[in-house]
Amino acid sequence: MSVATAGEAWSTAERVALWVAGAPVDRPDIEPSDAAAIVELIDGHCLLGRAIARGLGTVEEGGLGELLVHRQLAMQELVEDQLVAVEELIAATGSGAVAVLKGVATYGLTNEPTSLRTGDVDLVVEAEVDVPTLLRELGYHQTRGPFMH
């Protein structure tokens, strides 16, 4: 069974998530009552940037578009705050050997908000320093456990 065939039996929210992710399905018609389920799936699968890029952050989508745009702006603000922490980390290590990876790096190079998938910042630090401890000393706090990719 192809994704397109399987999508016909799925909810509107699931079909929207498939479409946003680039699956070979037609863009579903969206009703205002679908908004909460769509946002939940988009959040759960880190598809916010792709949803905005595919046009779901427009007035045409009514309440859904407004929800997505507000989420995107909040994510951009979070990332900008976190990039300040990266600058402070670079200054504190004195090495300058801090590499920002993945979506945030693309965002930094292109200033394209839709390149952001999550609000986290992935780093590689080439310094003999305990980065979490150093960030706490700089006044930051850990909001969740480490996630090693």
Side-chain angles (χ1 to χ4, degrees):
M1 185 180 319
S2 72
V3 172
T5 304
E8 293 170 9
W10 294 359
S11 72
T12 299
E14 290 166 329
R15 286 181 296 162
V16 168
L18 286 167
W19 174 78
V20 165
V25 296
D26 293 331
R27 179 181 168 157
D29 292 327
I30 300 170
E31 298 295 328
S33 59
D34 299 321
I38 291 169
V39 169
E40 184 178 334
L41 283 172
I42 286 172
D43 284 350
H45 294 284
C46 302
L47 295 171
L48 181 58
R50 292 179 187 183
I52 300 281
R54 303 258 354 225
L56 289 185
T58 64
V59 176
E60 161 195 344
E61 299 300 336
L64 175 62
E66 187 175 344
L67 283 170
L68 296 177
V69 167
H70 284 297
R71 279 179 151 63
Q72 183 71 30
L73 292 173
M75 184 185 308
Q76 284 175 251
E77 195 173 295
L78 173 65
V79 166
E80 296 292 337
D81 289 347
Q82 291 176 340
L83 290 176
V84 170
V86 171
E87 291 171 4
E88 291 177 358
L89 180 63
I90 291 169
T93 61
S95 69
V98 176
V100 179
L101 308 173
K102 301 185 341 188
V104 173
T106 304
Y107 174 62
L109 292 170
T110 66
N111 201 31
E112 178 55 52
T114 59
S115 65
L116 297 172
R117 290 193 49 174
T118 66
D120 68 340
V121 177
D122 296 289
L123 303 173
V124 174
V125 180
E126 185 182 52
E128 294 192 20
V129 62
D130 179 4
V131 174
T133 299
L134 180 56
L135 286 170
R136 282 191 294 275
E137 289 171 0
L138 291 170
Y140 295 93
H141 65 277
Q142 188 169 343
T143 58
R144 60 182 173 193
F147 178 76
M148 305 306 282
H149 303 243

